[in-house]
């Protein structure tokens, strides 16, 4: 969009599927303060909408997201204002990432082109990721002499473990969608021309899950790595009992029991 007043990210909702599109294509959807604030707002809106079950994240233009906006950060480095500038940027951006993990909906990143730095972190902080064959994932942090942000150490470590995460962030310049799939970071790889349709198909498949079961499953799975067995089993007990109190569960059990007769 060439309109200077256009929002740097936009939200569309079709039934139970919401889509947030990063919309700074001229900057490869790099994260500056304006887009960070907008993403935080949109995620809050999606989180509060109980009719939404799946949130798709995608990027406008040639890339998914090129990471933190280096013009903003470079200017702050020159002006010696790194602490206030980056703190404010990450206050909003990290609130967005926290919302993605917390919301009782499945978040699906749909990645084409480049996902670099905070853009790679975003792809893998989502609950699931689908990628075009030509997508490239670039950690980027090590080359700049910095550590990961934007949930990079949340999604990646939980998926691949400590040693692979160290390899990815410290010893990989970039890797392909096929490599990400092999490491378990990407759920599906499709030709670029099929990405939009495949993303919708996967979103539609996810939407078939009942809201209570979907929300509880996401919460249980994300807490599992840091829970004791006893705590996790107690959480499983409480969650399944809550799910069983829904009309959807009663309807589903009726269907199953009527088939048995």
């Amino acid at each position: 969009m060439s309109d200077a007043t256009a929002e740097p990210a936009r939200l569309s909702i079709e039934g139970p599927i919401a889509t947030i599109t990063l919309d700074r294509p001229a900057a490869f959807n790099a994260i500056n303060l304006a887009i960070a604030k907008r993403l935080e707002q949109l995620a809050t809106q999606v989180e509060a909408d109980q009719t939404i079950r799946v949130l798709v994240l995608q990027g406008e233009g040639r890339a998914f997201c090129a990471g933190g906006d280096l013009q903003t950060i470079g200017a702050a480095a020159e002006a010696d204002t790194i602490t206030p500038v980056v703190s404010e940027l990450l206050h909003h951006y990290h609130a967005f990432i926290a919302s993605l993990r917390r919301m009782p909906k499945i978040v699906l990143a749909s990645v084409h082109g480049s996902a670099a730095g905070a853009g790679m972190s975003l792809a893998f902080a989502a609950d699931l990721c689908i990628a075009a064959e030509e997508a490239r994932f670039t950690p980027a942090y090590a080359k700049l002499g910095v550590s990961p942000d934007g949930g990079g150490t949340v999604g990646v470590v939980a998926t691949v473990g400590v040693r692979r995460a160290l390899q990815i962030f410290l010893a990989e310049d970039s890797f392909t969608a096929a490599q990400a799939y092999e490491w378990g970071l990407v759920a599906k790889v499709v030709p670029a021309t099929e990405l939009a349709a495949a993303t919708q198909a996967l979103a539609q498949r996810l939407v078939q899950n009942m809201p209570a079961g979907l929300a509880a499953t996401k919460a249980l799975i994300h807490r599992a790595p840091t829970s004791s067995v006893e705590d996790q089993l107690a959480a499983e007990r409480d969650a399944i009992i809550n799910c069983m109190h829904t009309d959807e569960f009663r309807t589903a059990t009726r269907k199953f029991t009527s088939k048995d007769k």
Side-chain angles (χ1 to χ4, degrees):
M1 289 187 183
S2 56
D3 182 359
T5 62
E7 292 286 6
R10 63 184 195 271
L11 172 65
S12 63
I13 301 171
E14 288 186 31
I17 300 172
T19 302
I20 291 178
T21 304
L22 281 62
D23 200 1
R24 294 187 70 215
F28 300 108
N29 301 317
I31 306 300
N32 62 3
L33 183 59
I35 197 171
K37 284 181 171 178
R38 182 66 176 151
L39 289 169
E40 182 186 11
Q41 287 171 354
L42 296 179
T44 300
Q45 191 179 329
V46 170
E47 188 175 5
D49 188 334
Q50 294 188 358
T51 65
I52 295 168
R53 292 187 216 177
V54 174
L55 169 61
V56 174
L57 303 174
Q58 62 185 19
E60 187 66 50
R62 289 166 52 202
F64 175 70
C65 175
D69 188 80
L70 289 178
Q71 287 190 310
T72 300
I73 296 163
E78 292 300 320
D80 202 20
T81 55
I82 282 286
T83 298
V85 169
V86 176
S87 293
E88 187 183 13
L89 175 62
L90 289 182
H91 170 76
H92 296 288
Y93 191 66
H94 282 175
F96 164 63
I97 297 294
S99 178
L100 298 180
R101 293 301 287 245
R102 183 180 63 231
M103 65 173 63
K105 305 143 195 324
I106 293 295
V107 181
L108 171 61
S110 179
V111 177
H112 75 290
S114 172
M120 186 188 91
S121 296
L122 176 58
F124 301 143
D127 299 309
L128 293 169
C129 179
I130 184 170
E133 287 171 345
E134 42 75 44
R136 301 285 304 186
F137 297 93
T138 306
Y141 298 104
K143 279 194 169 175
L144 293 168
V146 297
S147 52
D149 67 349
T153 59
V154 177
V156 172
V157 179
T159 305
V160 303
V162 169
R163 292 164 73 95
R164 179 77 75 190
L166 286 166
Q167 175 194 330
I168 285 171
F169 283 110
L170 297 175
E172 297 286 343
D173 287 336
S174 73
F175 52 96
T176 63
Q179 191 71 68
Y181 176 80
E182 190 178 309
W183 290 338
L185 289 161
V186 166
K188 192 169 188 182
V189 179
V190 297
T193 53
E194 295 171 24
L195 181 63
T199 299
Q200 276 305 304
L202 181 51
Q204 290 290 350
R205 174 67 187 84
L206 293 166
V207 159
Q208 290 171 22
N209 291 285
M210 301 302 175
L214 184 152
T217 301
K218 172 172 172 169
L220 284 168
I221 287 172
H222 281 314
R223 59 164 281 163
T226 55
S227 290
S228 70
V229 172
E230 291 79 8
D231 286 350
Q232 189 69 6
L233 290 171
E236 286 187 0
R237 176 200 63 216
D238 294 346
I240 198 169
I241 288 171
N242 285 337
C243 292
M244 286 175 173
H245 279 102
T246 62
D247 291 336
E248 289 91 350
F249 172 74
R250 291 187 194 96
T251 304
T253 51
R254 278 190 209 110
K255 278 185 189 167
F256 272 96
T257 52
S258 64
K259 279 181 195 166
D260 292 342
K261 289 172 185 171

